[in-house]
């Protein structure tokens, strides 16, 4: 997501205006501006993200709100002040889109998200699979050893987080909305599958530079392995589990059934997985640059790799062309 500072500098208000607003948050602010369950737009750095108010509290005569950014891991959940939130209106959505357009031209913004929250390892929808998540990074995670906090901090400052393409962020939010709010699923098996997408990417890289083809082949092999192990453990929403049990049986690999939608979810999880890999910082940065290149490939082919229509039926062929 955006820049780390919890002080919003992109809302257009001056310091003097902020001070006036702070003064207005005293005992006169008897009622909160938002209530639990409200869908809002929340500033994070220079951008606005759709979020849901989960808890509210009055601290020192000022209301604050605990928000979950829709489509993002719970690692990003945080307490925010009133001035970081906007009502979810058409006008404010247009403001959100305008900020995103302005952000595209600025490639140098760093993530810097606060690292006070410890990484969870699995999202709220997959708590039942916590043991599977731990086994995914077995042998990599070092509990109570020096350097663990640095690795967690390294995760939150990941290049994958700071340079995640904006159009793919929206894809994630839409995906979350369809599945968890509307009860619609991606029809399986997908076309192209994750396996086919990774093969297409390798062909794409081979045309650009055959000399580094082998290194990318190894990375894609590892990414495919990560996907197959991570999908049942941490990439599925609760409503998708029955579908998974129906479609993935025996020796069938998830990467031959699922497509770009679930592959993109893996990229959201990769920062926390890579944080526990025994790898030098320089080598990790190079790996992340290559993973970012794969993300850009997904973005370039977004209209053909991702479905445009989700369906309420659990079985069926690719739903990208029909309801």
């Amino acid at each position: 997501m955006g820049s780390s500072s919890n002080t919003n500098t992109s809302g257009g208000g001056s310091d003097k205006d902020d001070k006036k607003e702070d003064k207005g948050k005293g005992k006169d602010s008897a009622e909160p501006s938002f209530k639990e369950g409200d869908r809002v737009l929340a500033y994070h750095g220079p951008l606005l993200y759709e979020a849901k108010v989960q808890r509210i509290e009055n601290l020192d005569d000022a209301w604050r709100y605990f928000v979950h950014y829709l489509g993002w891991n719970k690692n990003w959940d945080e307490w925010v002040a009133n001035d970081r939130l906007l009502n979810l209106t058409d006008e404010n959505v247009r403001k959100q889109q305008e900020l995103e357009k302005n952000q595209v031209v600025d490639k140098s913004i760093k993530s810097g998200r606060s690292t006070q929250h410890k990484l969870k390892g699995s999202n709220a929808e997959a708590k039942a699979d916590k043991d599977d998540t731990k086994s995914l990074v077995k042998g990599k995670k070092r509990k109570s050893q020096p350097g663990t906090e640095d690795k967690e901090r390294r995760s939150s400052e990941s290049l994958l987080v700071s340079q995640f393409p904006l159009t793919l962020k929206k894809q994630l939010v839409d995906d979350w909305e369809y599945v968890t709010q509307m009860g619609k699923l991606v029809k399986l098996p997908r076309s192209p599958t994750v396996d086919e997408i990774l093969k297409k990417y390798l062909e794409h890289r081979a045309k650009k530079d055959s000399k580094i083809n082998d290194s990318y082949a190894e990375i894609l092999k590892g990414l495919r392995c990560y996907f197959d192990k991570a999908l049942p453990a941490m990439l599925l929403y609760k409503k998708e589990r029955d579908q998974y049990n129906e479609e993935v049986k025996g020796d069938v690999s998830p990467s031959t059934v699922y497509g770009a939608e679930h592959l993109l979810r893996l990229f959201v999880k990769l920062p926390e997985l890579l944080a526990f890999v025994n790898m030098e910082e320089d080598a990790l940065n190079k790996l992340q640059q290559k993973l970012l290149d794969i993300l850009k490939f997904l973005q370039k082919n977004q209209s053909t790799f991702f479905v445009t229509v989700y369906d309420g039926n659990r079985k069926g062929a690719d739903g990208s062309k029909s309801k």
Side-chain angles (χ1 to χ4, degrees):
M1 293 175 70
S3 170
S4 80
S5 175
N6 283 343
T7 301
N8 169 34
T9 60
S10 58
S14 65
D15 292 339
K16 188 178 293 184
D17 292 333
D18 290 340
K19 290 177 181 178
K20 288 181 179 178
E21 188 172 345
D22 288 340
K23 290 179 180 178
K25 288 181 181 178
K27 295 182 179 180
D28 292 336
S29 301
E31 298 296 329
S33 300
F34 306 93
K35 61 181 184 297
E36 292 181 7
D38 279 356
R39 297 277 288 277
V40 296
L41 290 175
Y43 276 106
H44 188 271
L47 299 179
L48 282 166
Y49 296 87
E50 190 170 351
K52 184 176 182 179
V53 178
Q54 296 188 321
R55 298 196 299 276
I56 64 174
E57 71 174 20
N58 190 292
L59 187 65
D60 296 329
D61 292 325
W63 288 102
R64 66 174 191 162
Y65 310 85
F66 190 76
V67 299
H68 169 68
Y69 296 95
L70 302 185
W72 291 88
N73 189 278
K74 290 183 69 177
N75 296 338
W76 300 100
D77 294 3
E78 63 177 341
W79 287 99
V80 300
N82 195 75
D83 63 347
R84 294 241 333 251
L85 300 181
L86 297 176
N87 289 310
L88 188 59
T89 63
D90 290 341
E91 180 181 355
N92 288 333
V93 169
R94 287 193 292 272
K95 182 175 184 178
Q96 176 193 32
Q97 294 169 346
E98 187 63 30
L99 289 172
E100 289 180 352
K101 288 179 182 178
N102 295 337
Q103 178 75 352
V104 170
V105 299
D106 186 357
K107 301 294 185 180
S108 62
I109 290 183
K110 297 180 180 179
S111 172
R113 158 71 73 160
S114 171
T115 59
Q116 293 178 358
H117 307 292
K118 293 196 70 176
L119 299 177
K120 302 296 183 182
S122 64
N123 62 18
E125 299 286 352
K127 283 185 178 179
D129 302 301
K130 190 173 182 180
D131 292 338
D132 291 334
T133 302
K134 289 181 178 179
S135 67
L136 181 64
V137 291
K138 188 176 181 181
K140 307 292 185 180
K141 189 171 182 179
R142 298 171 179 243
K143 296 182 179 179
S144 303
Q145 287 194 13
T148 299
E149 292 182 1
D150 290 338
K151 289 182 179 181
E152 292 175 347
R153 185 177 300 111
R154 182 172 68 178
S155 170
S156 67
E157 297 172 352
S158 164
L159 291 173
L160 288 173
V161 173
S162 63
Q163 299 183 31
F164 208 99
L166 292 171
T167 57
L168 294 184
K169 288 180 182 180
K170 186 178 185 304
Q171 185 79 44
L172 282 166
V173 173
D174 290 344
D175 177 54
W176 179 90
E177 183 86 18
Y178 275 121
V179 178
T180 67
Q181 303 301 299
M182 300 172 65
K184 294 186 176 183
L185 307 181
V186 174
K187 284 188 176 181
L188 300 177
R190 283 287 288 111
S191 178
T193 63
V194 169
D195 191 55
E196 291 168 341
I197 290 172
L198 297 181
K199 287 178 181 177
K200 288 177 183 290
Y201 175 75
L202 189 58
E203 293 171 0
H204 162 74
R205 286 304 314 179
K207 291 178 182 178
K208 294 184 68 173
D209 191 345
S210 59
K211 294 181 181 179
I212 60 172
N213 190 36
D214 289 343
S215 64
Y216 274 92
E218 286 299 314
I219 290 174
L220 295 177
K221 181 180 178 181
L223 193 62
R224 185 183 294 106
C225 181
Y226 257 55
F227 180 84
D228 286 335
K229 292 183 178 180
L231 184 101
M234 59 202 307
L235 301 184
L236 294 175
Y237 294 118
K238 188 179 297 183
K239 294 180 181 180
E240 296 175 308
R241 293 205 167 274
D242 288 342
Q243 184 191 43
Y244 169 81
N245 292 330
E246 293 170 0
E247 299 290 341
V248 182
K249 298 178 180 179
D251 295 330
V252 175
S253 298
S255 57
T256 63
V257 176
Y258 288 83
E261 298 76 24
H262 292 78
L263 178 60
L264 190 59
R265 296 182 198 175
L266 175 64
F267 275 89
V268 176
K269 292 289 186 179
L270 280 177
E272 36 181 291
L273 297 177
L274 293 176
F276 297 101
V277 171
N278 294 323
M279 185 179 293
E280 293 296 328
E281 195 73 24
D282 184 58
L284 181 62
N285 287 335
K286 290 180 180 179
L287 172 60
Q288 289 188 93
Q289 289 290 354
K290 292 178 179 179
L291 292 172
L292 277 172
D293 194 60
I294 300 173
L295 269 181
K296 291 176 182 177
F297 180 72
L298 290 177
Q299 183 185 33
K300 182 180 179 181
N301 295 278
Q302 192 168 356
S303 62
T304 55
F305 285 175
F306 292 86
V307 293
T308 57
V309 177
Y310 284 58
D311 195 276
N313 297 323
R314 285 179 178 170
K315 290 186 177 181
D318 178 18
S320 60
K321 298 297 182 183
S322 63
K323 293 184 179 179

